[in-house]
Amino acid sequence: MHRIVSATVHPALRLILLALALCLSVTANAEEPDVRTTWRLLDYIAVDYASAVSEGRVADEFEYREMVEFSDVVARQIAALPDTKDNQALIRRSDQLRALIANKEPAERVGRLARALAASLLTAYPVPLAPSQAPDLDRARTLFAQNCASCHGAAGSAPPAAMQALDPPPIDFTDIDRARQRSAFGLYQVITQGLEGTSMASFASLSDEDRWALAFHAGSIAFEDVAKGERIWREDDGIRQLVPDLETLAALTPESLAEQIGEDRALAVMAYLRANPDAVGQANDAGSLAFVRDTLDRSLSAYRAGNREEARQLALSAYLDGFEPLEALLATRDGGLMREVEQALGQFRAGIESGANPSELQQLRARIDSLLARAEGALAPEAASEISTFLGAFTILLREGIEALLVVIAMIAFVKKSQRSEVLPYIHGGWIAALFAGVATWVVATYFVSISGASREMTEGIGALLAAVILVSVGIWMHGKSQAEEWRRYIQEKMGKALSRGSAWFLFGLAFVVVYREAFETILFYAALWNPQSSGIILAGALSAVALLALIAWAMLRYSRKLPITQFFRYSAILIAILAVILAGKGVGAFQEAGVLSATFIAGLPRLAELGFFPTVETIGAQLLTLLALIAGFRVSRSPSGPQPAAVEG
């Protein structure tokens, strides 16, 4: 159970909480509020005790007295609960908690027991600590006007003059300092039970859904920057993981979230989530086909309402946040279906960009739904098999590794045939550094910061285009050396000279860029595919791919030594030219999937992602331009005065 709890709580709120715990429940079912309140008290003890006691001594007398009072209330409330098979064990543990606090035991021990007792309490007496579904905020505003505005003012900020004379006066919901310390659950408790000693009456007569709706609305009044919060929420996977469900959101205070992500971002995110609690349910489905369906429906609705930019962003989110995390797994189960879904989602985005008729988008939406239904069957746990998992791990690494391997082996063979073995450490250093950088990227993305779907596509796109540009230059140069006379002249000019430091670092950079791009993409695929239950099979597939790649590398190096030098350069130039064209298509395709470039689809053409061929005007255009540049370069390089690249200059 994921929860984020404030380490400090306003003294007034503590007194309110204690009053809630001590007062009799006014609802028909008394047990549920008592269990909720008891759980909440345990949660506060687990977090706040550390500020009350330090090294066996009282650090804060007021805090410590509250810890003693809270533990007494917990013990009494647990003892008053209906008998169950677990009741006596709960009573013993609550008595143990009181004793630990009375003896000023270490915070770690008290916190561990308080959390364990809270978990056991909910197991023995399961009650909802959050709404069963996202509250209806439109209805909440009507309810607030009907039931709350007379005391708190229509906007929740200016109580009528007659109410200001009360002691204490009604809460000003725009008070940001107090709002930072309120959870929706705490507000729900007050709305349900009222507040003894104040003018706040119980609204237990309202339905549970209405009380939760009021709690979320009242808790949102102090926060304003909803647009900024929405942007942060959509872009940062890490924050979405901090608030995975409504139960976490209901228990969350802005102050505790600020401890995790910073004050400004926390207030903005809370503004968005309190005003749009349904976003949490969608985030919980992120990386799921349900999220894809829901987000596409919202996109279509926005498009029909004339909000094209919102529709575009939602359609992009349906792919990047919903479908892309599942691509690797679906590719191992049904690669053809994966490509169909990806292309259909791209066509949906393109339709929005081009201003298509809403009925056309509706038809495409229906087609996507049928594809997603097929994908659900392919992704179902029962559809998995050991052979499919093995082949998935095997083909992913083999496919991504082969592109990098071809370039690196060609570079190694080149420097050996040029008798420039002193530069080999630069090439090996480049690809080894790329592997470490790939692992480091995974560690950072997993444990420190979140890399969004758009960022992943941008990284892949930049790497692909950069490698394509470099490979065009290298391919043209190699083609120029495919004539025997040209090669002899080159050897006569360069033999005996040490390769310049700049040229060596050029080879290092080329090896790094090509391998890092493939390593980055491979790690993303494996992260999506990874399953602890299948870890042995996945590792077996990966190791098998590594063994085959090593065999291919050995064969290529051995065969290249037997090739006449001019044939070696001719074949290498052709191979590198093909890779450049493929990478140009992949780079532009990645930018399109990230939403940076528009996509103009051409009907009837297949999608061959492995060859970088996507049926769009932009990707085909990029590949044609790359091909024309290579053809022109090949022609120029065959002339005696053809260019000499920096990669091999002395």
Side-chain angles (χ1 to χ4, degrees):
M1 184 178 298
H2 301 278
R3 283 186 178 81
I4 305 171
V5 186
S6 173
T8 60
V9 181
H10 195 281
L13 290 183
R14 288 200 177 95
L15 294 177
I16 291 172
L17 183 59
L18 185 57
L20 287 172
L22 293 171
C23 71
L24 294 175
S25 173
V26 296
T27 60
N29 184 352
E31 284 121 18
E32 287 193 9
D34 286 343
V35 172
R36 290 192 187 105
T37 303
T38 304
W39 176 89
R40 197 67 174 153
L41 287 169
L42 288 166
D43 205 29
Y44 277 122
I45 290 172
V47 175
D48 284 8
Y49 180 80
S51 61
V53 174
S54 177
E55 298 180 351
R57 296 183 179 182
V58 174
D60 187 313
E61 187 63 36
F62 179 76
E63 295 263 7
Y64 179 67
R65 286 202 306 271
E66 286 187 335
M67 294 297 104
V68 173
E69 290 174 330
F70 284 9
S71 64
D72 288 342
V73 172
V74 166
R76 289 200 299 274
Q77 292 221 0
I78 288 178
L81 289 171
D83 286 337
T84 68
K85 63 182 179 63
D86 300 315
N87 186 254
Q88 291 304 312
L90 292 174
I91 291 174
R92 286 195 300 272
R93 295 175 83 176
S94 65
D95 289 339
Q96 183 184 1
L97 180 65
R98 281 200 299 183
L100 291 180
I101 293 174
N103 293 333
K104 307 177 185 63
E105 295 290 337
E108 181 181 353
R109 188 177 178 191
V110 171
R112 186 167 57 247
L113 179 57
R115 291 188 180 92
L117 180 55
S120 299
L121 178 68
L122 291 186
T123 300
Y125 302 94
V127 294
L129 292 169
S132 58
Q133 59 186 14
D136 184 346
L137 271 295
D138 289 332
R139 175 162 174 74
R141 283 183 277 272
T142 301
L143 290 168
F144 191 89
Q146 294 172 346
N147 299 282
C148 311
S150 59
C151 291
H152 297 279
S157 59
M163 295 293 109
Q164 293 179 5
L166 294 175
D167 184 21
I171 287 175
D172 177 0
F173 287 115
T174 64
D175 183 346
I176 192 66
D177 290 333
R178 297 188 69 179
R180 289 177 69 258
Q181 302 175 65
R182 294 191 195 111
S183 70
F185 176 78
L187 289 166
Y188 169 84
Q189 288 278 57
V190 173
I191 292 168
T192 299
Q193 297 177 323
L195 193 58
E196 191 176 27
T198 74
S199 59
M200 178 63 193
S202 164
F203 285 87
S205 58
L206 295 176
S207 68
D208 193 64
E209 291 80 5
D210 285 349
R211 280 177 276 142
W212 274 114
L214 275 174
F216 273 83
H217 174 66
S220 70
I221 291 174
F223 308 107
E224 299 177 348
D225 206 344
V226 175
K228 178 181 177 182
E230 180 178 12
R231 185 172 64 255
I232 295 171
W233 178 255
R234 292 192 182 282
E235 293 177 353
D236 196 324
D237 293 338
I239 292 178
R240 295 200 295 269
Q241 292 172 11
L242 286 176
V243 194
D245 49 41
L246 279 172
E247 189 168 311
T248 303
L249 178 60
L252 182 64
T253 66
E255 184 178 58
S256 60
L257 183 61
E259 295 171 1
Q260 306 291 321
I261 65 174
E263 182 79 8
D264 292 342
R265 283 158 60 83
L267 296 185
V269 168
M270 192 59 72
Y272 174 63
L273 294 182
R274 291 270 178 92
N276 301 274
D278 58 323
V280 173
Q282 295 158 9
N284 196 37
D285 285 334
S288 74
L289 301 183
F291 179 88
V292 177
R293 289 191 179 94
D294 180 74
T295 309
L296 286 178
D297 287 339
R298 294 168 60 209
S299 174
L300 188 56
S301 297
Y303 187 77
R304 284 173 169 158
N307 301 323
R308 186 182 292 186
E309 179 57 27
E310 181 184 355
R312 190 185 76 85
Q313 290 293 337
L314 287 168
L316 190 61
S317 176
Y319 170 69
L320 292 175
D321 302 322
F323 183 69
E324 192 196 37
L326 303 174
E327 276 188 353
L329 183 57
L330 183 57
T332 65
R333 307 275 181 88
D334 191 334
L337 178 58
M338 184 276 290
R339 289 187 287 273
E340 282 189 76
V341 176
E342 191 174 50
Q343 183 166 339
L345 290 172
Q347 290 172 339
F348 188 91
R349 298 195 302 272
I352 293 173
E353 294 279 0
S354 63
N357 189 293
S359 62
E360 294 178 17
L361 286 182
Q362 179 62 56
Q363 291 176 359
L364 185 55
R365 170 69 185 86
R367 177 171 173 265
I368 292 173
D369 205 47
S370 66
L371 292 173
L372 295 179
R374 290 169 54 196
E376 280 180 331
L379 292 171
E382 58 270 18
S385 65
E386 292 187 356
I387 187 63
S388 67
T389 302
F390 175 88
L391 289 176
F394 176 80
T395 55
I396 286 170
L397 185 54
L398 184 64
R399 183 187 67 208
E400 302 301 330
I402 199 72
E403 289 182 13
L405 181 66
L406 292 175
V407 177
V408 172
I409 292 300
M411 293 166 63
I412 293 172
F414 156 67
V415 297
K416 286 186 174 181
K417 282 187 173 290
S418 302
Q419 300 180 27
R420 298 297 179 86
S421 57
E422 73 275 7
V423 84
L424 277 175
Y426 287 87
I427 299 174
H428 291 308
W431 69 262
I432 292 172
L435 293 179
F436 278 107
V439 173
T441 302
W442 172 78
V443 171
V444 170
T446 302
Y447 297 104
F448 298 101
V449 300
S450 173
I451 297 180
S452 67
S455 298
R456 292 194 295 267
E457 296 292 348
M458 287 290 292
T459 300
E460 292 179 16
I462 292 171
L465 291 180
L466 180 59
V469 170
I470 297 174
L471 290 178
V472 166
S473 173
V474 173
I476 291 172
W477 180 84
M478 281 190 166
H479 185 266
K481 298 297 174 287
S482 63
Q483 301 176 75
E485 183 59 33
E486 180 65 20
W487 176 249
R488 282 193 294 271
R489 182 164 57 250
Y490 171 76
I491 291 296
Q492 289 173 359
E493 291 176 359
K494 304 301 180 185
M495 190 62 70
K497 285 187 178 180
L499 198 66
S500 72
R501 183 175 296 273
S503 299
W505 281 110
F506 172 87
L507 295 176
F508 174 93
L510 176 58
F512 180 88
V513 169
V514 172
V515 175
Y516 176 75
R517 181 196 173 278
E518 306 303 335
F520 180 79
E521 192 167 359
T522 300
I523 288 171
L524 294 179
F525 273 119
Y526 269 85
L529 185 65
W530 187 259
N531 183 337
Q533 285 73 36
S534 305
S535 58
I537 299 172
I538 294 172
L539 289 175
L543 291 175
S544 298
V546 169
L548 182 55
L549 287 171
L551 182 62
I552 293 172
W554 173 84
M556 289 179 64
L557 286 173
R558 183 178 178 85
Y559 182 68
S560 66
R561 285 200 297 267
K562 296 180 179 180
L563 274 179
I565 191 67
T566 55
Q567 289 187 29
F568 167 78
F569 275 99
R570 184 179 300 117
Y571 296 151
S572 295
I574 294 173
L575 174 62
I576 286 177
I578 293 172
L579 289 176
V581 173
I582 291 173
L583 289 173
K586 286 187 173 183
V588 173
F591 280 123
Q592 289 176 324
E593 290 177 349
V596 176
L597 293 178
S598 61
T600 308
F601 281 85
I602 303 174
L605 293 181
R607 183 182 187 278
L608 305 172
E610 289 77 9
L611 299 179
F613 185 87
F614 303 91
T616 70
V617 171
E618 294 79 7
T619 52
I620 294 174
Q623 290 187 314
L624 287 175
L625 286 175
T626 305
L627 185 59
L628 289 174
L630 286 163
I631 292 172
F634 281 7
R635 287 183 175 178
V636 172
S637 67
R638 291 184 70 89
S639 65
S641 58
Q644 301 294 317
V648 293
E649 288 301 321

